[in-house]
């Protein structure tokens, strides 16, 4: 802390780069102290309003006083109270009561700390998912446009990172899109499955509220329903301990970890393609790739995504461990861990989605490089077509196979031992045995004849699965994103 009368030098303290360097303002706010404690006050208001409507002696004046001070938070006072009381919730009860003297007696009435703590967490998780979903939809939309544009462009496929049959640039992109569409569905399901903790009391039995309403079970149930609705949830968990089940956190962070895996795979592919000089991420006019090597064009955005995606994938281990060691109705060893892992998971997911959107909006394709690589491998792939054409022209399949085998081995030696280009087709043209099909060679080597149904698959996939999934997010597609760093 700074000395009295001095300003604190923020550059002299560690700041998480997730917030200071990368994450969006809206996601940073979602996990801010202001959002957290402002939500606590709103939850106290909802509770008082519902209790009043069910007959408890709470006045309109008390409600109005609370409403007028929802965002009037004295953070310095709250910090001093917490230092003295060693209890964050009671520190904020006292701070709220200080500016609401008339309502002081009924703030937090019947509630336990988890009424504000856990319910706020659920609101923040819901709001965080609602921030991520349109960002993911935007990435899918940008990649869908890219896939559509390059649906017909042949490119060399790879299995085991070894040359395989041809595919198209657009079809390969659809592999990325399909994974992200699965993530979109998973995030939507995680959001829609979230429930509110509601008003459950210290061990989840609602005993304090049953006492407040003098044994009237129907009023306790209605209180739970009213507060749940005021918080914007359709349902509350029917059974809780002091906290909502920590398996909820596992469910949410699992889908974020899965998103991280998808993005890591996509950006790894882009990094490999950049090495092949077939596709590159955006590279700014004044961007420097290396302090030592001026010619470098490093795929630093894709590398950032991979780096942060690894962090995102590991965070799910925290709620897994936490849920496994919650004793009976709850233990407090969940608290500090959750303060870190929940926020970091959402902030990291936010960052990698924004970065991937920037990448997908500026992908650069180099058709001539792609074509050259195809020509290096296509002759070997075309050998079966050449054999079938020779048989149709009256040749013997076994004789033709042996001829092609010998010429292929010779061409492979040129490529591997001499570092030359694949000259198989030149050898075929020079061999009189293949004269019956010399005029067909150009059509037999047309790359588009080797891509199968890839263009049709792209069109069908985008029309029937991708575009419909994006309809709920059409109003949030926005413009291009510009990364500060």
């Amino acid at each position: 802390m700074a000395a009295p009368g001095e300003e604190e030098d923020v550059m002299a303290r560690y700041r998480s780069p997730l917030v200071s360097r990368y994450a969006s303002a809206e996601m940073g706010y979602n996990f801010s102290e202001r959002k957290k404690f402002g939500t606590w006050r709103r939850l106290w208001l909802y509770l008082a309003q519902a209790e009043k409507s069910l007959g408890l002696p709470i006045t309109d004046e008390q409600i109005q006083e609370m409403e007028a001070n929802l965002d009037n938070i004295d953070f310095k006072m709250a910090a001093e109270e917490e230092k003295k009381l060693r209890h964050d919730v009671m520190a904020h009860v006292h701070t709220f009561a200080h500016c609401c003297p008339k309502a002081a007696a009924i703030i937090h009435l019947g509630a336990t700390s988890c009424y504000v703590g856990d319910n706020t967490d659920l609101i923040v998780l819901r709001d965080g998912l609602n921030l991520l979903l349109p960002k993911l939809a935007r990435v899918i939309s940008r990649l869908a446009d890219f896939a559509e544009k390059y649906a017909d462009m042949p490119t060399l496929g790879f299995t085991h990172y070894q040359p395989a049959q041809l595919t198209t640039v657009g079809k390969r992109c659809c592999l990325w899109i399909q994974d992200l569409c699965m993530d979109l569905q998973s995030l939507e399901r995680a959001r829609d499955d979230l429930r509110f903790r509601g008003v459950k009391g210290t061990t989840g039995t609602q005993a304090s509220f049953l006492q407040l309403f003098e044994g009237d079970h129907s009023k306790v149930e209605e209180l739970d329903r009213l507060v749940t609705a005021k918080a914007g949830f359709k349902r509350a968990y029917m059974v809780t301990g002091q906290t909502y089940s920590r398996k909820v956190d596992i469910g949410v962070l699992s889908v974020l970890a899965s998103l991280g895996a998808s993005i890591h795979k996509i950006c790894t592919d882009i990094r490999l393609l950049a090495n092949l000089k077939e596709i590159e991420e955006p590279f700014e006019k004044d961007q420097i790739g290396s302090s030592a090597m001026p010619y470098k064009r490093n795929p630093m955005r894709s590398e950032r995504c991979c780096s942060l995606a690894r962090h995102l994938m590991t965070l799910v281990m925290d709620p897994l461990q936490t849920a496994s060691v919650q004793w009976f109705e709850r233990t407090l060893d969940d608290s500090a861990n959750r303060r870190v892992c929940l926020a970091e998971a959402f902030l990291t997911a936010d960052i990698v989605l924004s970065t991937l959107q920037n990448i997908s909006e500026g992908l650069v394709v180099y058709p001539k490089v792609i074509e050259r690589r195809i020509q290096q491998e296509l002759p070997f792939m075309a050998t079966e077509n050449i054999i079938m054409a020779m048989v149709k022209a009256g040749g013997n399949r076994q004789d033709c196979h042996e001829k092609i085998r010998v010429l292929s081995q010779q061409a492979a030696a040129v490529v591997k031992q001499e570092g030359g280009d694949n000259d198989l087709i030149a050898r075929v043209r020079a061999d009189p045995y293949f004269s019956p099909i010399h005029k067909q060679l150009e059509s037999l080597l047309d790359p588009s004849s080797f891509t199968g149904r890839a263009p049709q698959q792209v069109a069908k996939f985008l029309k029937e699965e991708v575009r419909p999934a994006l309809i709920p997010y059409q109003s949030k597609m926005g413009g291009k994103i510009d990364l500060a760093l």
Side-chain angles (χ1 to χ4, degrees):
M1 297 293 292
E6 294 181 2
E7 287 190 12
E8 184 177 0
D9 180 4
V10 295
M11 303 307 290
R13 297 182 64 190
Y14 173 78
R15 296 181 299 159
S16 169
L18 294 178
V19 174
S20 66
R21 187 174 177 89
Y22 297 128
S24 66
E26 60 268 24
M27 190 61 80
Y29 174 75
N30 191 50
F31 287 92
S32 68
E33 300 287 90
R34 187 166 296 280
K35 166 80 176 272
K36 175 181 178 179
F37 297 125
T39 303
W40 283 14
R41 290 194 174 188
R42 283 161 177 78
L43 288 167
W44 283 320
L45 173 65
Y46 301 156
L47 181 61
Q49 288 172 329
E51 289 173 337
K52 178 180 182 297
S53 71
L54 292 170
L56 292 188
I58 297 172
T59 66
D60 289 337
E61 192 175 19
Q62 289 173 315
I63 297 294
Q64 291 164 5
E65 188 179 52
M66 293 174 73
E67 290 174 333
N69 287 281
L70 291 176
D71 297 309
N72 178 26
I73 304 175
D74 187 335
F75 289 100
K76 183 178 179 181
M77 175 183 288
E80 291 170 351
E81 287 288 324
E82 184 173 355
K83 187 175 181 180
K84 179 174 63 176
L85 302 174
R86 307 299 295 174
H87 197 289
D88 56 350
V89 173
M90 286 309 300
H92 277 270
V93 168
H94 289 186
T95 304
F96 196 18
H98 180 77
C99 56
C100 297
K102 295 175 183 175
I106 55 93
I107 293 173
H108 199 65
L109 183 60
T112 187
S113 298
C114 285
Y115 167 70
V116 288
D118 271 35
N119 283 324
T120 293
D121 287 343
L122 290 163
I123 290 170
V124 168
L125 293 180
R126 178 198 64 194
D127 293 352
L129 289 168
N130 280 330
L131 288 172
L132 292 178
L133 280 164
K135 295 187 178 196
L136 176 53
R138 283 197 290 272
V139 171
I140 294 171
S141 176
R142 302 324 191 244
L143 289 175
D145 292 342
F146 179 87
E148 189 170 45
K149 181 177 179 180
Y150 294 101
D152 300 324
M153 180 180 285
T155 191
L156 185 64
F158 290 93
T159 58
H160 314 275
Y161 200 40
Q162 301 300 313
Q165 289 293 319
L166 300 190
T167 182
T168 70
V169 173
K171 171 62 189 300
R172 175 177 286 149
C173 183
C174 284
L175 300 180
W176 305 340
I177 295 170
Q178 180 167 251
D179 286 351
L180 293 176
C181 283
M182 293 179 185
D183 294 317
L184 187 73
Q185 292 176 339
S186 296
L187 262 68
E188 289 174 337
R189 184 166 55 249
R191 177 200 59 192
D192 296 341
D193 285 348
L194 280 178
R195 301 190 196 183
F196 204 51
R197 177 190 175 275
V199 288
K200 297 296 194 296
T202 55
T203 57
T205 65
Q206 298 177 308
S208 58
F209 296 104
L210 192 63
Q211 183 177 3
L212 278 175
F213 289 104
E214 298 178 348
D216 191 330
H217 289 266
S218 63
K219 284 191 174 183
V220 175
E221 289 185 2
E222 181 63 6
L223 178 71
D224 206 355
R225 189 195 68 78
L226 285 173
V227 174
T228 297
K230 285 177 181 291
F233 286 80
K234 294 179 180 178
R235 297 180 299 168
Y237 295 107
M238 294 182 68
V239 174
T240 73
Q242 188 173 94
T243 70
Y244 67 80
S245 171
R246 295 310 183 217
K247 287 184 70 68
V248 174
D249 296 342
I250 296 174
V252 173
L253 265 63
S254 290
V255 299
L256 297 184
S258 181
L259 172 65
S262 299
I263 292 176
H264 198 294
K265 183 267 190 293
I266 293 167
C267 291
T268 299
D269 283 357
I270 293 172
R271 292 165 65 190
L272 292 170
L273 289 167
N275 173 261
L276 297 175
K277 297 179 173 60
E278 293 188 4
I279 292 178
E280 287 183 343
E281 66 178 38
F283 196 87
E284 307 298 334
K285 180 183 175 215
D286 297 322
Q287 183 174 331
I288 295 174
S290 167
S291 62
M293 296 169 280
Y295 59 88
K296 293 288 290 286
R297 291 173 66 96
N298 298 330
M300 63 91 163
R301 292 173 174 84
S302 298
E303 290 174 313
R304 177 190 302 169
C305 282
C306 289
S307 180
L308 290 171
R310 287 201 305 274
H311 179 59
L312 179 55
M313 287 186 282
T314 64
L315 288 172
V316 71
M317 290 305 300
D318 278 337
L320 283 168
Q321 298 272 5
T322 295
S324 72
V325 298
Q326 286 299 285
W327 303 345
F328 303 113
E329 281 64 50
R330 90 79 62 96
T331 53
L332 194 58
D333 60 348
D334 64 340
S335 179
N337 185 286
R338 295 176 68 252
R339 288 174 191 263
V340 176
C341 71
L342 297 182
E344 287 202 354
F346 277 85
L347 290 165
T348 307
D350 179 72
I351 296 160
V352 293
L353 283 174
S354 296
T355 308
L356 185 55
Q357 180 185 334
N358 177 263
I359 293 170
S360 62
E361 288 171 346
L363 285 172
V364 181
V365 178
Y366 295 105
K368 293 296 183 182
V369 178
I370 293 173
E371 183 181 345
R372 175 174 171 78
R373 183 157 283 106
I374 289 174
Q375 294 308 318
Q376 290 173 343
E377 302 294 340
L378 190 59
F380 294 140
M381 297 179 194
T383 53
E384 187 175 5
N385 290 1
I386 292 172
I387 290 172
M388 289 187 292
M390 279 295 295
V391 171
K392 287 180 182 179
N396 180 286
R397 192 266 176 198
Q398 314 313 329
D399 294 341
C400 184
H401 183 279
E402 178 60 18
K403 286 277 188 181
I404 284 290
R405 186 190 70 79
V406 172
L407 295 181
S408 295
Q409 294 295 330
Q410 292 170 352
V414 170
V415 172
K416 295 178 180 179
Q417 296 174 19
E418 302 175 18
D421 292 333
N422 188 332
D423 63 357
L424 175 59
I425 300 306
R427 293 175 185 275
V428 171
R429 289 186 189 279
D431 192 326
Y433 175 81
F434 293 99
S435 58
I437 64 164
H438 280 170
K439 293 182 179 179
Q440 300 178 46
L441 284 176
E442 188 171 339
S443 62
L444 290 173
L445 291 165
D446 179 7
S448 63
S449 67
F450 290 83
T451 59
R453 296 191 64 254
Q456 291 74 23
Q457 288 177 343
V458 171
K460 186 177 179 68
F461 175 58
L462 295 181
K463 179 182 178 182
E464 296 185 11
E465 291 196 21
V466 179
R467 303 293 187 192
L470 300 179
I471 290 174
Y473 307 99
Q474 287 302 318
S475 64
K476 298 180 180 180
M477 282 303 169
K480 287 190 174 183
I481 192 165
D482 182 28
L483 295 180
L485 293 169

